[in-house]
């Protein structure tokens, strides 16, 4: 049974209480939490509300930036990530999403070594708290400042380097789904997959993320989802719909469309 959820970035202008009430009203079973919204709302209040609404936390976004691309030093980024692990445990989040950080003028080998060192440190704490970490690759066209890890092969190499049982990955179809070889990579990915995020776009990412309504772009979402389900993926499926193409739409309309789209090929799973 795959938990069907929405990431809070999809309703970025709402506060957490509005998000949770609307997601539950639309029949979603989970919510992907965004740390700034959680901080504004309060963790204890958040736990109480989600328990009342019977919403599970499919993810907490995000920790990372270990290369200094966001202005923080390595130690500060690691400390923040360890705090995020504690928050994820308190929220009973199914995974904490991790972004590597941009290359930030480092050579690739140094950036990779820095990321592996950070993940090794954080994984120890994550294992103690029973929190799963998920490294997310970002498309270089819209995420070079967020991550120097851009594809599934590089992500799997990092997982192999760190070797923690608590470390896996996020597959966001917006970032990696337009790769012509995506379906061939899925058998290698499935056993490490903690979270499947669904995003669609009308063209390859360039500049800011600009997702469209699910099913209205060029990402082969249905093929990806069906392939992973056939291979036994039982983790959460979380929609993330944000960008200029959907900004004019009311959030209720976005949620209605998202739920209807997911029901097309996951209705038998939920």
């Amino acid at each position: 049974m795959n938990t069907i959820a929405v990431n809070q970035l999809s309703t970025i202008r709402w506060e957490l209480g509005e998000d949770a009430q609307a997601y539950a009203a639309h029949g979603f079973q989970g919510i992907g939490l965004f740390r700034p919204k959680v901080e504004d709302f309060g963790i204890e209040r958040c736990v109480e509300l989600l328990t009342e609404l019977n919403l599970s936390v499919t993810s907490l976004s995000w920790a990372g930036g270990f290369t200094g691309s966001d202005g923080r030093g390595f130690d500060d980024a690691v400390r923040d990530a360890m705090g995020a692990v504690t928050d994820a445990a308190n929220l009973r989040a199914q995974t904490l999403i991790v972004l590597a950080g941009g290359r930030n003028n480092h050579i690739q080998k140094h950036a990779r070594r820095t990321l592996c060192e950070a993940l090794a440190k954080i994984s120890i704490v994550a294992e103690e708290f029973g929190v799963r970490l998920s490294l997310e690759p970002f498309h270089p066209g819209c995420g070079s400042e967020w991550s120097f890890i851009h594809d599934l092969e590089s992500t799997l190499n990092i997982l192999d380097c760190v070797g923690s049982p608590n470390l896996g990955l996020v597959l966001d179809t917006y970032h990696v789904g337009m790769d012509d070889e995506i379906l061939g990579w899925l058998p290698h990915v499935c056993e490490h997959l903690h979270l499947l995020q669904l995003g669609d776009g009308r063209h390859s990412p360039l500049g800011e993320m600009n997702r469209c309504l699910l099913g209205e772009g060029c990402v082969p979402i249905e093929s990806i989802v069906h392939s992973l389900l056939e291979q036994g993926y039982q983790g959460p499926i979380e929609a993330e719909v944000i960008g200029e193409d959907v900004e004019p739409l009311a959030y209720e309309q976005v949620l209605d469309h998202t739920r209807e789209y997911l029901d097309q090929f996951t209705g038998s799973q939920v």
Side-chain angles (χ1 to χ4, degrees):
M1 298 292 288
N2 303 92
T3 301
I4 304 302
V6 181
N7 190 282
Q8 283 190 289
L9 291 177
S10 303
T11 51
I12 190 66
R13 295 187 301 274
W14 282 352
E15 56 91 31
L16 192 148
E18 292 177 282
D19 293 337
Q21 295 282 355
Y23 298 174
H26 283 79
F28 292 99
Q29 303 154 322
I31 181 171
L33 293 175
F34 184 46
R35 289 178 67 193
K37 286 195 178 191
V38 174
E39 183 177 346
D40 289 343
F41 196 77
I43 287 183
E44 290 186 5
R45 286 182 65 205
C46 181
V47 171
E48 291 175 2
L49 177 62
L50 298 184
T51 299
E52 177 184 328
L53 295 172
N54 198 29
L55 281 176
S56 63
V57 180
T58 48
S59 68
L60 178 64
S61 301
W62 52 270
F66 308 113
T67 57
S69 59
D70 61 358
R72 293 180 300 176
F74 176 82
D75 291 338
D76 287 340
V78 169
R79 276 193 294 269
D80 175 74
M82 290 182 176
V85 168
T86 303
D87 291 344
N90 290 331
L91 291 162
R92 297 188 288 276
Q94 294 185 39
T95 192
L96 171 63
I97 296 175
V98 180
L99 302 183
R103 221 174 89 175
N104 196 30
N105 296 320
H106 298 299
I107 62 172
Q108 189 76 7
K109 286 184 178 180
H110 178 69
R112 185 177 185 276
R113 187 166 56 248
T114 299
L115 174 59
C116 289
E117 180 182 350
L119 290 173
K121 291 176 181 290
I122 300 160
S123 293
I124 294 173
V125 178
E127 290 177 33
E128 291 175 356
F129 281 88
V131 171
R132 300 200 302 176
L133 305 175
S134 297
L135 184 62
E136 180 174 3
F138 257 51
H139 192 285
C142 67
S144 59
E145 74 274 26
W146 297 102
S147 179
F148 67 90
I149 302 295
H150 302 309
D151 55 63
L152 294 173
E153 182 177 12
S154 299
T155 307
L156 291 173
N157 287 339
I158 294 295
L159 303 190
D160 185 60
C161 172
V162 177
S164 168
N166 282 52
L167 180 61
L169 63 87
V170 180
L171 191 161
D172 185 328
T173 60
Y174 179 74
H175 289 298
V176 300
M178 299 184 202
D179 185 338
D180 292 339
E181 299 179 357
I182 178 64
L183 296 179
W185 276 104
L186 296 183
H188 306 285
V189 164
C190 193
E191 66 177 297
H192 303 285
L193 186 59
H194 291 171
L195 175 66
L196 174 60
Q197 283 188 327
L198 301 186
D200 206 348
R202 302 185 193 281
H203 53 76
S204 184
L206 182 63
E208 294 292 326
M209 279 194 293
N210 187 21
R211 303 173 187 234
C212 62
L213 292 174
L214 297 178
E216 296 190 358
C218 61
V219 179
I221 293 177
E222 294 187 29
S223 296
I224 293 170
V225 174
H226 283 307
S227 177
L228 288 170
L229 293 179
E230 288 172 359
Q231 293 173 60
Y233 175 69
Q234 296 182 338
I237 299 174
E238 184 182 290
E240 185 175 313
V241 186
I242 186 172
E244 288 185 3
D245 281 0
V246 294
E247 279 181 3
L249 304 178
Y251 285 157
E252 293 288 342
Q253 182 180 350
V254 173
L255 294 175
D256 281 339
H257 181 278
T258 300
R259 182 70 224 202
E260 289 175 8
Y261 179 81
L262 293 177
D263 282 346
Q264 291 183 54
F265 55 93
T266 63
S268 62
Q269 298 285 327
V270 298

